[in-house]
Amino acid sequence: QITLKESGPTLVKPTQTLTLTCTFSGFSLSTSGVGVGWIRQPPGKALEWLALIYWDDDKRYSPSLKSRLTITKDTSKNQVVLTMTNMDPVDTATYYCAHYWGAFDYWGQGTLVTVSS
Amino acid sequence: QSALTQPASVSGSPGQSITISCTGTSSDVGSYNLVSWYQQHPGKAPKLMIYEVSKRPSGVSNRFSGSKSGNTASLTISGLQAEDEADYYCCSYAGSSTHWVFGGGTKLTVL
């Protein structure tokens, strides 16, 4: 079955760069049409799509955050990495990675990242 | 402010039906049949309930149904059950510039 799990720091300081890793199993990111996306959710607020990488290394970013985001994949390790630069307290959120096949059909448990000095 | 507009809350009694709307624009909901709906219980990850406007993933109850008219998509839950109490989010593809947008979420209360 498909599983995903996010990992990374739980606390980052303002201006620092956040690096999150999504480690998955049950599918291959070299299969045509498959993607892995990142979505975040500030405490008590709505979901916000951040980025997505496809099997063919095509990358898509949220227009409002594009300058701060980088998404990469390591197919051999079954991992997708998201980096977000210049972190700010408003970036405090639970960050989810999700398998994409026309919709975000499988989600990780999420990881809470707090931005504070 | 979210790109897709949902009512903040809806409520219904057990056994009743409710509908949650998701209003976008001709650039997202109105242009693509790539609307999906997610259920989220407190402290849990979202769960896909509907994809491509009206398709149900395997294992999702047929009490959940989706539809679209113009720039507005809808999620209908029939035969409300206590376990349906959760937050619901819509999501739409919005083209090659904006990509994917979520709604602001709707809190469903089962009375």
Side-chain angles (χ1 to χ4, degrees), chain B residues 82-102:
Chain B
E83 67 208 50
D84 299 333
E85 186 164 292
D87 293 327
Y88 291 85
Y89 293 91
C90 61
C91 178
S92 175
Y93 181 68
S96 58
S97 296
T98 310
H99 308 305
W100 285 268
V101 291
F102 279 91

Side-chain angles (χ1 to χ4, degrees), chain B residues 12-38:
Chain B
S13 299
Q16 288 185 330
S17 295
I18 63 96
T19 296
I20 300 172
S21 61
C22 170
T23 302
T25 69
S26 58
S27 297
D28 40 62
V29 174
S31 287
Y32 304 97
N33 288 326
L34 289 174
V35 176
S36 51
W37 289 90
Y38 303 86

Side-chain angles (χ1 to χ4, degrees), chain A residues 13 34 36 58 81 96:
Chain A
K13 289 180 167 51
V34 170
V36 171
D58 185 13
V81 174
Y96 296 99

Side-chain angles (χ1 to χ4, degrees), chain B residues 6-22 37-39 50 62-67 73-89 106-111:
Chain B
Q6 299 180 233
S9 63
V10 298
S11 63
S13 299
Q16 288 185 330
S17 295
I18 63 96
T19 296
I20 300 172
S21 61
C22 170
W37 289 90
Y38 303 86
Q39 176 192 65
I50 295 288
N62 60 9
R63 297 186 298 105
F64 291 82
S65 62
S67 62
S74 298
L75 173 71
T76 297
I77 309 174
S78 59
L80 269 180
Q81 298 179 1
E83 67 208 50
D84 299 333
E85 186 164 292
D87 293 327
Y88 291 85
Y89 293 91
T106 298
K107 181 175 179 60
L108 169 62
T109 300
V110 180
L111 302 170

Side-chain angles (χ1 to χ4, degrees), chain A residues 80-101:
Chain A
V80 171
V81 174
L82 180 76
T83 60
M84 180 179 291
T85 61
N86 194 25
M87 293 293 284
D88 182 272
V90 300
D91 296 314
T92 293
T94 295
Y95 287 75
Y96 296 99
C97 64
H99 173 273
Y100 178 83
W101 180 264

Side-chain angles (χ1 to χ4, degrees), chain A residues 39 41 45-49 52 54 59-63 96 100-110, chain B residues 2 34 36 38 40 44-48 50-52 89 91 93 96-105:
Chain A
I39 301 101
Q41 184 174 37
K45 296 188 177 182
L47 300 169
E48 178 185 17
W49 173 74
L52 187 143
Y54 284 103
K59 301 167 186 177
R60 307 295 174 94
Y61 297 102
S62 166
Y96 296 99
Y100 178 83
W101 180 264
F104 299 104
D105 51 0
Y106 296 91
W107 294 62
Q109 64 189 23
Chain B
S2 300
L34 289 174
S36 51
Y38 303 86
Q40 187 180 35
K44 300 295 186 182
K47 175 187 176 183
L48 177 66
I50 295 288
Y51 68 100
E52 293 179 7
Y89 293 91
C91 178
Y93 181 68
S96 58
S97 296
T98 310
H99 308 305
W100 285 268
V101 291
F102 279 91

